[in-house]
């Protein structure tokens, strides 16, 4: 599938996941309300319920959450034509396995999903446009209603504001329309009062006005605006509408509670009678949602019951239990959502088909070995060569030393080609006998001495290395600490979590060549000087670094029979610079590292290429 189709498929899957998450969150919220009745008056329960659904939607779009899913992957791969697969298999490819793997889905098998994802995008945009139109229309009606009223210049003119004449309050407008009193306007709040409110008993007027002012003091308009925004973005999810309605009810209940907290029973009865009278008199303008959407008869009945018998048990432990339940439900919902897996295979550049992650038990011999060559113009970023699958992330191996060199020279830990010179110590336990000698920066990069990398990192500090990696935008940027592993090793080229694709290598190298990384000029100059290798017969000056690591089996363990070899860098000629990354999988040859094999193969090919 095309990248756009893949993105649309992700959106479709995330939308479906948000529906499932919405049902789970709604169920958990209702259960919490029944176990802790006072939670019906807590705004946080309902708004955070909406936020939990939105968080599941966003998390499903992130590739980093795919490893958290526990259900099977929905495979999006497209098979190559048989003649392309055969032509692209390198000489070192393993023989076919004795047990045939599952067939890779054909392009037509997922045409329905592609078409459904495109149709969903159109439908979503239409629904979003409709939601925004209805919101804008309601705002215009409210503005027109306010413009038709009469501003109260002196609050003492209204019996409902007795005791508030000197307090800072929002603008108050009296309107002839028989509406419910409402607070309107997120940035410039206005209190709209119906003129018929003056016919109420003065105490009732004061209680109703105090209710609306409590909304203003509690910043309920902001809560409502956030809920409306989430409901508009997730207009297709009925549970978002239910959660928003409950938020409106919680706001009304909460204001009633605050207004009546210390009032005697007689004033409570007067307030309840005023609510009933108001409901009989008010009319809702067509197409306009009232202030908090909770002025109907069912809500009024619930409010009067709470006025008669206030709920108790608003302890912090109940709220924490409810919010913890919402968080747990959101996490479980995410884990139970499927992820999309796909491989860009069968393309004309000769990439061999790769079996989907949906079948992790298939032996590595059934998958095509890693094989990518990618070259891009350093100035424009235009890709001039792209052969094989160049988007799969693997360990950068010793190519990470390029980034470490920039860090070391920028920080002053490294000074020049020969400083600092560090003698070898038996405690370094170098696995390669050729590394068991004193080393300086030049020899470190030339011979890929791992223990020297760890000494550089120890002097930089793991936290600073992680900060540099994030600033460089290097690969997946993950340099996690590993239990039982020294941090200097865990953030070096031995990191089990740092991954980068050949395409991402060229992105990083373009930043290096164009000097757009946050390091000093000395760091650029010294790194380029130490990476320069040779000038080819066709005039290209080559700067590069090799890297070697074990290939990985589907279960994540090392494949003792296969190496992956890197050679990355850039070439210059006649003022033109091309960055490159060559990644190739080899059978293990103890006399010839995978990185060296990849380098020699690339340089041999480069001599015959024309750009």
């Amino acid at each position: 599938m095309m990248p756009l189709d893949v993105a649309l498929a992700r959106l479709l899957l995330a939308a479906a996941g948000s529906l499932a998450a919405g049902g789970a969150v709604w169920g958990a919220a209702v259960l919490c309300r029944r176990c802790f009745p006072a939670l019906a008056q807590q705004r946080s329960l309902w708004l955070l319920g909406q936020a939990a659904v939105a968080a599941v939607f966003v998390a499903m779009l992130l590739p980093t959450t795919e490893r958290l899913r526990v259900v099977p992957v929905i495979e999006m791969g497209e098979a190559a034509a048989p003649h392309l697969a055969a032509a692209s298999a390198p000489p070192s490819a393993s023989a076919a396995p004795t047990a045939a793997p599952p067939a890779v889905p054909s392009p037509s098998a997922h045409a329905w999903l592609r078409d459904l994802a495109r149709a969903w995008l159109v439908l979503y945009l239409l629904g979003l446009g409709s939601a925004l139109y209805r919101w804008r229309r309601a705002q215009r009606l409210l503005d027109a209603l306010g413009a038709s009223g009469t501003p109260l210049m002196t609050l003492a003119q209204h019996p409902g504001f007795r005791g508030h004449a000197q307090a800072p309050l929002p603008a108050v407008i009296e309107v002839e329309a028989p509406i419910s009193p409402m607070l309107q306007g997120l940035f410039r709040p206005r209190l709209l009062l119906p003129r018929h409110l003056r016919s109420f008993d003065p105490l009732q007027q004061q209680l109703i006005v105090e209710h609306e002012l409590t909304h203003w003091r509690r910043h309920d308009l902001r809560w409502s605006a956030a809920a409306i925004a989430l409901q508009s973005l997730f207009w297709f999810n009925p549970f978002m509408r239910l959660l928003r309605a409950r938020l409106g009810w919680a706001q009304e209940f909460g204001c009633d509670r605050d207004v009546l907290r210390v009032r005697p029973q007689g004033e409570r009865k007067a307030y309840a009678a005023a609510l009933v009278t108001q409901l009989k008199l008010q009319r809702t303008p067509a197409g306009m949602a009232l202030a908090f959407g909770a002025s109907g008869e069912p809500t009024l009945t619930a409010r009067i019951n709470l006025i008669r018998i206030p709920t108790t048990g608003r302890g912090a432990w109940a709220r924490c239990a409810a919010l913890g339940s919402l968080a747990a439900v959101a996490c479980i919902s995410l884990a139970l959502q499927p992820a999309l897996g796909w491989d860009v295979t069968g393309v004309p550049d000769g990439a061999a088909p790769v079996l989907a992650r949906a079948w992790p038990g298939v032996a590595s011999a059934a998958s095509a070995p890693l094989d990518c060559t990618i070259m891009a113009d350093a100035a424009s970023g235009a890709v001039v060569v792209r052969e094989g699958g160049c988007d799969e992330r693997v360990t950068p191996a010793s190519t990470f030393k390029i980034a470490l060199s920039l860090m070391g020279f920028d920080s002053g830990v490294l000074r020049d080609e020969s400083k600092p010179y560090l003698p070898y110590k038996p405690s370094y336990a170098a696995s390669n006998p050729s590394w068991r000698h004193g080393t300086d920066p030049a020899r470190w990069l030339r011979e890929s001495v791992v223990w020297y990398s760890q000494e550089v990192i120890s002097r930089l500090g793991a936290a600073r290395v992680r900060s540099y990696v994030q600033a460089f935008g290097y690969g997946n940027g993950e340099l996690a600490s590993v239990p039982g592993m020294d941090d200097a090793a865990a953030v070096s080229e031995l990191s089990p979590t740092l991954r980068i694709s050949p395409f991402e290598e060229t992105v990083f190298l373009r930043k290096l060549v164009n000097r757009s990384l946050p390091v000093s000029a000395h760091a650029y100059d010294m790194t380029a000087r130490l990476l320069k290798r040779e000038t080819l017969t066709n005039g290209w000056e080559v700067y590069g670094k090799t890297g070697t690591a074990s290939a990985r089996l589907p279960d994540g363990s090392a494949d003792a029979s296969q190496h992956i070899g890197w050679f990355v860098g850039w070439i210059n000629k006649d003022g033109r610079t091309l960055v490159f990354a060559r990644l190739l999988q080899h059978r293990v040859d103890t006399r010839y590292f995978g990185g060296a094999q990849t380098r020699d193969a690339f340089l041999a090919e480069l001599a015959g290429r024309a750009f």
Side-chain angles (χ1 to χ4, degrees):
M1 299 180 81
M2 297 296 291
L4 177 60
D5 292 329
V6 171
L8 294 181
R10 278 188 180 276
L11 285 172
L12 177 61
L13 186 63
S18 75
L19 285 170
V25 168
W26 171 252
V30 171
L31 181 62
C32 289
R33 182 174 65 90
R34 290 181 179 177
C35 295
F36 311 110
L39 284 176
Q41 303 174 20
Q42 301 303 311
R43 301 168 297 178
S44 56
L45 175 67
W46 308 106
L47 183 58
L48 290 179
Q50 284 187 294
V53 177
V56 171
F57 176 86
V58 173
M60 289 186 66
L61 296 177
L62 301 177
T64 54
T65 65
E66 290 185 352
R67 60 178 178 268
L68 303 177
R69 321 285 179 84
V70 297
V71 297
V73 172
I74 297 177
E75 176 54 39
M76 301 290 292
E78 296 184 356
H83 68 280
L84 286 177
S88 61
S92 61
S94 301
T98 56
V104 179
S106 65
S108 60
H110 297 295
W112 66 269
L113 184 57
R114 177 197 61 204
D115 295 339
L116 183 61
R118 293 177 179 179
W120 164 244
L121 176 63
V122 174
L123 180 62
Y124 175 79
L125 293 177
L126 289 174
L128 181 61
S130 175
L132 294 177
Y133 170 76
R134 291 195 304 271
W135 172 81
R136 182 56 183 160
R137 183 168 178 266
Q139 290 302 308
R140 287 178 177 175
L141 287 171
L142 286 172
D143 291 341
L145 186 63
S148 68
T150 303
L152 286 183
M153 305 307 296
T154 304
L155 295 182
Q157 298 174 351
H158 199 292
F161 289 91
R162 182 173 300 174
H164 294 289
Q166 304 301 321
L169 298 175
V172 180
I173 300 176
E174 272 193 311
V175 298
E176 295 291 343
I179 64 169
S180 169
M182 67 178 71
L183 194 64
Q184 182 262 337
L186 179 61
F187 300 107
R188 293 169 52 186
R190 298 181 298 176
L191 178 55
L192 305 183
L193 296 178
R195 193 170 297 278
H196 70 240
L197 187 63
R198 290 179 180 268
S199 64
F200 288 27
D201 180 83
L203 174 61
Q204 292 178 325
Q205 294 186 54
Q206 293 169 20
L207 291 173
I208 289 176
V209 167
E210 183 63 28
H211 176 96
E212 298 303 323
L213 293 180
T214 302
H215 278 307
W216 176 66
R217 296 188 193 99
R218 287 167 26 123
H219 306 291
D220 277 344
L221 282 173
R222 297 178 185 176
W223 289 72
S224 294
I228 290 172
L230 288 172
Q231 181 184 329
S232 298
L233 290 172
F234 294 89
W235 60 265
F236 57 88
N237 194 328
F239 298 105
M240 297 295 264
R241 291 193 292 274
L242 292 172
L243 289 166
R244 185 205 162 196
R246 287 290 182 182
L247 171 64
W249 297 343
Q251 290 173 322
E252 296 298 329
F253 297 155
C255 287
D256 288 344
R257 179 196 63 230
D258 291 349
V259 169
L260 301 175
R261 178 172 288 120
V262 294
R263 295 186 182 269
Q265 191 65 25
E267 293 189 6
R268 289 177 174 271
K269 291 181 179 179
Y271 182 59
L275 293 180
V276 174
T277 303
Q278 171 59 40
L279 180 63
K280 293 178 180 179
L281 292 174
Q282 75 185 36
R283 297 291 185 273
T284 302
M288 183 178 71
L290 293 185
F292 299 100
S295 57
E297 185 174 344
T299 301
L300 179 61
T301 302
R303 290 174 65 185
I304 291 176
N305 286 335
L306 286 175
I307 290 171
R308 290 176 55 247
I309 309 174
T311 58
T312 58
R314 294 182 57 231
W317 69 270
R319 181 182 298 183
C320 291
L323 300 185
S325 299
L326 289 180
V329 167
C331 293
I332 294 171
S333 296
L334 175 62
L336 294 179
Q337 303 299 331
L340 290 178
W342 65 88
D343 292 290
V344 183
T345 58
V347 291
D349 58 15
V354 181
L355 286 180
R357 289 173 295 172
W359 303 293
V362 179
S364 62
S367 298
L370 299 167
D371 189 355
C372 165
T373 301
I374 183 169
M375 303 181 72
D377 187 280
S380 67
V383 176
V384 296
V385 175
R386 183 173 180 134
E387 299 172 350
C390 298
D391 295 315
E392 183 172 353
R393 282 175 167 169
V394 296
T395 174
S398 284
T399 66
F400 185 55
K401 288 185 174 72
I402 298 177
L404 286 178
S405 173
L406 292 170
M407 301 176 202
F409 284 113
D410 179 64
S411 63
V413 170
L414 303 178
R415 295 189 288 278
D416 55 32
E417 297 96 327
S418 58
K419 296 176 184 177
Y421 173 86
L422 301 179
Y424 176 75
K425 299 178 182 178
S427 60
Y428 296 153
S431 59
N432 188 338
S434 65
W435 296 340
R436 298 169 188 168
H437 53 67
T439 302
D440 56 25
R443 197 168 188 180
W444 164 56
L445 287 181
R446 185 172 64 250
E447 299 181 8
S448 287
V449 181
V450 173
W451 68 261
Y452 195 91
S453 297
Q454 295 176 24
E455 287 301 299
V456 171
I457 290 170
S458 295
R459 299 182 184 200
L460 277 167
R464 195 171 184 184
V465 173
R466 293 187 177 101
S467 178
Y468 271 118
V469 165
Q470 293 297 322
F472 290 174
Y474 189 90
N476 64 358
E478 296 183 14
L479 282 172
S481 296
V482 180
M485 188 177 188
D486 184 76
D487 228 16
V491 301
S492 71
E493 58 264 49
L494 302 180
S495 168
T497 58
L498 184 63
R499 295 292 182 265
I500 194 169
S501 68
F503 173 74
E504 290 171 327
E505 285 273 17
T506 61
V507 172
F508 167 68
L509 291 166
R510 281 192 64 223
K511 295 177 185 177
L512 190 162
V513 170
N514 294 322
R515 301 200 170 200
S516 59
L517 296 169
V519 297
S520 64
H522 179 65
Y524 287 119
D525 294 340
M526 290 305 306
T527 298
R529 186 182 306 175
L530 297 182
L531 291 179
K532 187 171 183 180
R533 301 195 60 84
E534 58 186 288
T535 301
L536 302 180
T537 56
N538 57 7
W540 286 104
E541 294 181 339
V542 182
Y543 299 75
K545 182 73 190 75
T546 59
T548 303
S550 295
R552 294 287 166 180
L553 294 168
D555 63 3
S557 61
D559 184 350
S561 66
Q562 298 281 329
H563 270 166
I564 61 171
W566 280 103
F567 186 51
V568 306
W570 65 94
I571 56 176
N572 287 331
K573 181 181 177 182
D574 299 331
R576 187 185 184 195
T577 301
L578 302 177
V579 295
F580 66 83
R582 181 75 170 102
L583 177 63
L584 189 60
Q585 187 168 326
H586 309 268
R587 285 194 173 279
V588 170
D589 185 341
T590 56
R591 302 163 300 171
Y592 200 26
F593 285 130
Q597 293 184 60
T598 303
R599 177 197 63 210
D600 294 348
F602 176 77
L603 293 178
E605 296 169 5
L606 186 62
R609 289 187 181 271
F611 303 104

